[in-house]
Amino acid sequence: MGEFLGSLWGFFVSHRQEIATQTLEHLGLTLVALTLATLVGLVIGIGLTRYRQMSGNVIGIVSAIQTIPSIALLGFLLPVLGIGVVPAIVALFLYALLPIVQNTFTGIDGVNPTVKEAAKGLGMPDGQVLFKIELPLAVPVIFAGIRTATVTTVGVATLCALVAAGGLGEFIFRGISLNNPEMLLAGAIPAAGLALLLDFLLGKLQHNIQTLFKPILIGALGLVVLSGWFVMSVVFSSPGFTAGFPAEFVERADGYRGLVTRYNLPAFDTVELESGLAFQALKEKKVDLISGDSTDGRIQAYDLVILKDDQNYFPPYYAAPLIRNQTLRKYPEIQPILAKLVGKISDQEMADLNYQVDQLQQSPNQVAQTFLTQLGLKTSTARQGKPDILIGGKKFTEQYILAELITILIENYTGLNVESKTGLGGTKIAFEALIKGEIDLYPEYTGTGFLVILKPDEKTQKAIISDKDQVLDYVRQQSNKIYDLSWLEPFGFNNTYALMMRKEDAERLNISSITDLKRYLENR
């Protein structure tokens, strides 16, 4: 424990400037969205107390927004608002509305009607009743809603890193992807501290709200004006050539930093995007270049081209089942069954399978059954009952398909019942589930096992990283020795990293390789 805390402190010290920058970005997103939500929420809440017949419908609509998954909302906003702070602020604003609207309405509606009638009897107009009677008495309830919205907004703002809005989510998602707990906590701890600090300050402010009401209102309006100016400047800015990379690619040993060094690439704008949103952003012309998996079905679906890695920078990523030895000892029949897929899936075949799911909207199970039938294998049995084997998979199309292939084979050639636990959020989560026995096996990639899970020293990396057989031998030996895990024989395809552009742009700019990209960046 002491060693880990020392390592964590060292990470904070070595990355203090980046942590400070991300914290300020996170704070900015939170304050802008929260200020807008507070002003709009107060107006809506007050309005509903005057038009009570509309309250049920309006609050119902605002509540419905909360049910939309954050990633889905950000993905929906991307084609309309692009990437960056604008969709992030809109999403945070929408999520913060409900507690403010609801508490404003409830707080004012709960003021004793006798008090309001007495004020009107003294000749107070409705505006004075609102500002001198209703709002002061409703402040505790209203502020409870604002404080709830604040804590929620700080948390949801971590997801905004997925659409290149910055903030502490960058470290969190990098840490999850790279199995790096220090990096994860470098984002999570400041985010939690920020939520507690803002909640504390709002609590102090609540005790003095009556005397500070007008200064706070003026300050909030000023912040809204500044926020509007900032957002408009971002919307109408004209960025140059921009690349969108997932958090994992930014930090990996075979990712962005090493790529820049190997090809001596000149500086260009980069933003961090969730891998699925990166493809969508490229399709929608919000970015010009992305990294992705070479067998992704969206390459064909979105008319993209892979830039040739003419210096062989990216290492091999051969997919293979990674399984607990304890499971193999208990069910040794699994290995010869899964051997039926050894070398049976080529790069193009895997890309076609992904395309059928991503673009043709077929289910992973349907695609897997069709493929196995074409290989002459049985697919008719689907067992029910308590599972003997738990199959895991990460949260992208290819993993869903591979998990289905494994499931169908085991259920049709053994007497075992299988249950899938797919959609696991990245390498760290899937691997941790495996070593803890929460799943029995999942499809993994040799390059990921080598660089992300085992993390060999730099000398070892340079010596064998480009040799697929040596990489496989290394991950087999070390995984068995350290984690009591086995890598079975690969399926056959190499899902390596790749840089991609829209085909029309690549042809227009005469870019077919990463070296061509370098030339373009130098001469633009």
Side-chain angles (χ1 to χ4, degrees):
M1 184 64 177
E3 183 179 349
F4 174 74
L5 291 176
S7 175
L8 178 61
W9 175 251
F11 189 91
F12 268 88
V13 172
S14 62
H15 292 75
R16 59 187 180 277
Q17 185 173 353
E18 192 172 0
I19 293 172
T21 299
Q22 290 185 10
T23 301
L24 289 175
E25 291 173 347
H26 205 96
L27 180 62
L29 289 171
T30 300
L31 291 180
V32 171
L34 192 63
T35 301
L36 293 171
T38 299
L39 291 178
V40 174
L42 285 172
V43 171
I44 294 175
I46 292 169
L48 293 180
T49 63
R50 271 55 183 168
Y51 301 94
R52 282 183 173 79
Q53 68 275 15
M54 299 175 59
S55 60
N57 292 332
V58 173
I59 292 177
I61 293 171
V62 177
S63 299
I65 295 173
Q66 295 276 352
T67 67
I68 303 173
S70 307
I71 299 296
L73 181 59
L74 290 169
F76 173 76
L77 293 173
L78 189 147
V80 180
L81 301 176
I83 59 175
V85 298
V86 177
I89 289 173
V90 171
L92 293 176
F93 161 77
L94 292 173
Y95 278 118
L97 268 182
L98 177 61
I100 299 174
V101 171
Q102 199 166 42
N103 281 41
T104 300
F105 174 75
T106 302
I108 295 176
D109 195 52
V111 174
N112 193 325
T114 305
V115 176
K116 292 188 282 187
E117 289 299 324
K120 292 178 181 178
L122 292 173
M124 283 188 179
D126 189 61
Q128 285 188 347
V129 173
L130 173 65
F131 283 98
K132 292 187 176 182
I133 304 296
E134 292 177 313
L135 283 177
L137 292 175
V139 157
V141 178
I142 294 173
F143 250 75
I146 294 174
R147 292 173 71 174
T148 299
T150 300
V151 174
T152 302
T153 302
V154 172
V156 176
T158 58
L159 295 173
C160 295
L162 300 176
V163 291
L168 292 162
E170 290 187 2
F171 268 143
I172 293 174
F173 290 110
R174 290 184 203 174
I176 292 173
S177 299
L178 297 174
N179 193 24
N180 188 326
E182 292 92 350
M183 185 176 290
L184 190 157
L185 290 174
I189 291 175
L194 195 59
L196 293 173
L197 175 63
L198 291 177
D199 185 64
F200 172 77
L201 293 176
L202 284 174
K204 290 293 184 182
L205 188 62
Q206 183 174 344
H207 294 300
N208 302 285
I209 186 63
Q210 290 181 334
T211 57
L212 297 175
F213 184 77
K214 288 184 178 179
I216 291 172
L217 182 60
I218 293 172
L221 289 173
L223 184 57
V224 169
V225 172
L226 289 174
S227 303
W229 172 81
F230 173 71
V231 171
M232 293 301 290
S233 66
V234 172
V235 171
F236 291 104
S237 62
S238 299
F241 187 89
T242 303
F245 297 141
E248 184 170 356
F249 184 77
V250 173
E251 291 289 339
R252 286 177 68 129
D254 60 337
Y256 169 66
R257 303 183 198 283
L259 179 73
V260 170
T261 301
R262 171 69 68 88
Y263 280 90
N264 193 26
L265 294 175
F268 58 98
D269 295 331
T270 62
V271 295
E272 289 192 23
L273 285 167
E274 190 270 335
S275 58
L277 294 179
F279 275 93
Q280 187 177 346
L282 184 62
K283 176 187 177 185
E284 300 289 340
K285 300 186 177 181
K286 308 302 181 182
V287 295
D288 304 290
L289 176 78
I290 64 169
S291 64
D293 300 328
S294 59
T295 58
D296 199 295
R298 288 165 292 191
I299 298 172
Q300 178 183 351
Y302 296 167
D303 199 24
L304 309 180
V305 294
I306 294 176
L307 303 188
K308 182 181 178 183
D309 179 18
D310 45 340
Q311 293 190 26
N312 299 313
Y313 168 70
F314 294 118
Y317 278 80
Y318 285 88
L322 180 59
I323 186 170
R324 291 163 53 85
N325 284 333
Q326 181 179 343
T327 302
L328 268 185
R329 289 189 288 267
K330 187 175 181 180
Y331 304 114
E333 63 269 31
I334 290 177
Q335 186 166 359
I337 294 305
L338 295 185
K340 295 179 181 294
L341 281 179
V342 172
K344 298 295 185 181
I345 310 176
S346 68
D347 295 3
Q348 185 58 53
E349 284 171 328
M350 192 68 246
D352 289 341
L353 296 178
N354 287 327
Y355 175 81
Q356 291 171 41
V357 175
D358 288 330
Q359 185 65 13
L360 302 183
Q361 302 300 306
Q362 298 181 27
S363 71
N365 179 269
Q366 178 185 356
V367 169
Q369 285 200 27
T370 301
F371 180 74
L372 291 174
T373 299
Q374 291 171 352
L375 292 179
L377 298 172
K378 294 189 295 184
T379 63
S380 58
T381 302
R383 300 182 184 277
Q384 303 294 327
K386 184 179 179 181
D388 303 297
I389 301 291
L390 297 174
I391 309 295
K394 304 179 197 178
K395 61 177 182 66
F396 57 94
T397 301
E398 185 167 290
Q399 289 270 312
Y400 289 109
I401 296 171
L402 293 175
E404 289 291 344
L405 290 171
I406 293 171
T407 297
I408 293 170
L409 279 180
I410 292 176
E411 290 194 331
N412 277 271
Y413 287 91
T414 72
L416 301 175
N417 295 324
V418 180
E419 179 180 322
S420 296
K421 287 191 173 182
T422 49
L424 301 176
T427 299
K428 176 177 174 58
I429 295 174
F431 186 73
E432 289 289 335
L434 183 67
I435 61 177
K436 290 179 180 178
E438 295 169 350
I439 57 175
D440 292 289
L441 71 140
Y442 77 98
E444 188 52 278
Y445 304 89
T446 54
T448 301
F450 184 66
L451 293 169
V452 178
I453 296 173
L454 297 171
K455 302 177 183 177
D457 57 61
E458 187 174 350
K459 181 180 178 182
T460 304
Q461 288 184 28
K462 289 182 177 179
I464 69 173
I465 197 168
S466 297
D467 189 305
K468 68 181 181 67
D469 296 322
Q470 289 190 59
V471 169
L472 178 59
D473 288 341
Y474 182 90
V475 297
R476 275 180 165 164
Q477 293 172 12
Q478 296 301 313
S479 297
N480 183 67
K481 177 181 176 181
I482 300 172
Y483 299 110
D484 196 29
L485 302 175
S486 288
W487 288 77
L488 303 185
E489 290 296 323
F491 297 114
F493 67 93
N494 177 20
N495 185 8
T496 189
Y497 268 129
L499 296 186
M500 307 165 195
M501 294 180 64
R502 292 181 294 275
K503 184 176 181 180
E504 58 180 304
D505 290 348
E507 292 176 348
R508 176 173 55 84
L509 300 173
N510 195 27
I511 298 175
S512 60
S513 67
I514 302 178
T515 297
D516 291 338
L517 174 66
K518 174 189 175 182
R519 171 190 50 77
Y520 166 75
L521 293 173
E522 289 174 338
N523 297 327
R524 63 189 168 128

